[in-house]
Amino acid sequence: MTGRRLPPIEVRPRDLSRWRQSATGVDYVHVFEAEEPGPTVMTVGLTHGNEFCGAEALHWALDLGLRPRKGVWIVAFSNVAAYARFDANKPLDSRFVDRDMNRVWRDDWIATEGTLEAKRAGELLPFVRRADFLLDIHSTSFAVRPFFVGANLPRVRGFAERLGEPKSLLLQNASFDGKVMVEYSGFADPASTKTALVVECGAHFLRGSVAVAKHVLMAFLDATGVVEPQVARRLAPAIPPSEPGVYTIEKVHVAKHADLKFMAPYEGFEEVAKGTVIAMDGPEPVVAPFDRCAVLFPKAQPMQGRELVTLAQRID
């Protein structure tokens, strides 16, 4: 099928080894504590090894010597092992080593799976549990608008609006094929005050996605009180205003067959009418279950047993 071309590779992996060792004793995890009390906030990059913008933003902030004015700031480069495997000839293959690290966030899976990603999640668990606020920085295969993803809770929507950009938000009514980090440790509990967001900054390898990651990182650190507002404004790169929209994720389709194809060159956020056949999973059609059905995360390399596409309904 034509029309679904990956954007060019403008950003390539850098050497992150200077950030490997820290006082935490856990590779690539740093904790900075201010004298003034405040929330514990965590910023995460490289949950997927081929999503460079988070690594770039965190490297940039650490390289600047940024430190919290109050509270605790945890910085984690998550799946550096997958990042190290990047091959420009196969740019999507370094997403993970054994299994998607953003689908393993259950205590029983982390304890028993034995995959590299489950073991690494186990190393990160104490820090994730400690966080009052968490930002997990991601990117997408295609060059779609930036957007947030989080639990379908008023506090999550309110916090996303407080950050300002991006202006699109996906609220989870349906789970992905496994548990994601922003569902863990009270982040999806209506009775909790813990708040977490994924930010999808744009296409994996574009300089513009790095600018979005840096901008949102500064907005997050400002909103949580980690940095002074004037510092955040000075450091945050300017980014174009994004398209607004609020969506609820209603279905995540996992491919059952090896024979997979999309019926149109979907890249993300296309809205189709109820009954539209979006893809074929072997002999089974993947059909839009409602009007204004947004096609999200259509896989650039569809594979049996993995998520093929996510369907969401626009509500605002």
Side-chain angles (χ1 to χ4, degrees), residues 206-283:
L206 296 185
R207 285 187 289 270
S209 302
V210 175
V212 172
K214 292 177 179 179
H215 183 98
V216 175
L217 174 62
M218 286 299 105
F220 175 80
L221 295 178
D222 177 11
T224 54
V226 172
V227 300
E228 297 279 1
Q230 60 268 29
V231 173
R233 287 193 295 269
R234 175 172 58 84
L235 293 177
I239 59 173
S242 64
E243 187 174 344
V246 180
Y247 303 77
T248 56
I249 295 172
E250 302 294 341
K251 182 178 180 181
V252 179
H253 184 89
V254 177
K256 301 175 185 176
H257 303 88
D259 182 17
L260 302 161
K261 67 176 181 178
F262 286 96
M263 306 309 291
Y266 296 112
E267 296 187 355
F269 284 99
E270 297 89 351
E271 293 185 15
V272 300
K274 181 178 181 179
T276 300
V277 177
I278 295 165
M280 292 299 297
D281 182 354

Side-chain angles (χ1 to χ4, degrees), residues 17-248:
S17 60
R18 63 185 288 198
W19 309 122
R20 179 172 182 171
Q21 293 185 328
S22 78
T24 68
V26 178
D27 286 354
Y28 297 103
V29 179
H30 297 259
V31 176
F32 306 106
E33 300 192 26
E35 292 185 4
E36 184 178 347
T40 296
V41 306
M42 185 170 182
T43 53
V44 182
L46 290 182
T47 295
H48 296 129
N50 66 328
E51 300 185 6
F52 301 160
C53 60
E56 289 293 306
L58 297 183
H59 164 80
W60 167 74
L62 291 174
D63 196 45
L64 287 172
L66 203 63
R67 297 294 183 268
R69 67 184 181 96
K70 66 178 182 179
V72 178
W73 178 29
I74 303 169
V75 180
F77 298 89
S78 190
N79 199 342
V80 179
Y83 180 70
R85 295 184 174 205
F86 178 74
D87 180 348
N89 295 314
K90 300 176 181 179
L92 302 182
D93 287 4
S94 57
R95 180 176 174 85
F96 54 85
V97 177
D98 296 326
R99 81 106 91 201
D100 190 328
M101 192 165 175
N102 206 30
R103 302 294 185 270
V104 72
W105 289 92
R106 277 179 35 171
D107 288 332
D108 55 342
W109 293 354
I110 291 171
T112 61
E113 269 198 1
T115 60
L116 183 146
E117 278 77 14
K119 292 175 182 177
R120 180 58 173 165
E123 294 176 348
L124 297 180
L125 274 183
F127 305 99
V128 176
R129 287 173 177 159
R130 187 178 173 186
D132 300 306
F133 294 91
L134 185 143
L135 178 70
D136 190 12
I137 305 172
H138 288 246
S139 53
T140 51
S141 297
F142 300 108
V144 297
R145 72 177 86 160
F147 57 97
F148 288 116
V149 186
N152 192 357
L153 297 169
R155 70 174 185 271
V156 171
R157 182 169 180 176
F159 188 66
E161 290 171 351
R162 185 177 173 190
L163 296 186
E165 286 287 348
K167 292 186 172 66
S168 284
L169 171 63
L170 309 185
L171 298 168
Q172 290 181 234
N173 275 355
S175 292
F176 292 96
D177 185 30
K179 293 296 182 181
V180 301
M181 184 184 292
V182 297
E183 293 178 288
Y184 187 76
S185 185
F187 294 128
D189 183 353
S192 176
T193 59
K194 293 163 69 74
T195 304
L197 282 169
V198 165
V199 60
E200 300 279 0
C201 298
H204 296 324
F205 315 117
L206 296 185
R207 285 187 289 270
S209 302
V210 175
V212 172
K214 292 177 179 179
H215 183 98
V216 175
L217 174 62
M218 286 299 105
F220 175 80
L221 295 178
D222 177 11
T224 54
V226 172
V227 300
E228 297 279 1
Q230 60 268 29
V231 173
R233 287 193 295 269
R234 175 172 58 84
L235 293 177
I239 59 173
S242 64
E243 187 174 344
V246 180
Y247 303 77
T248 56

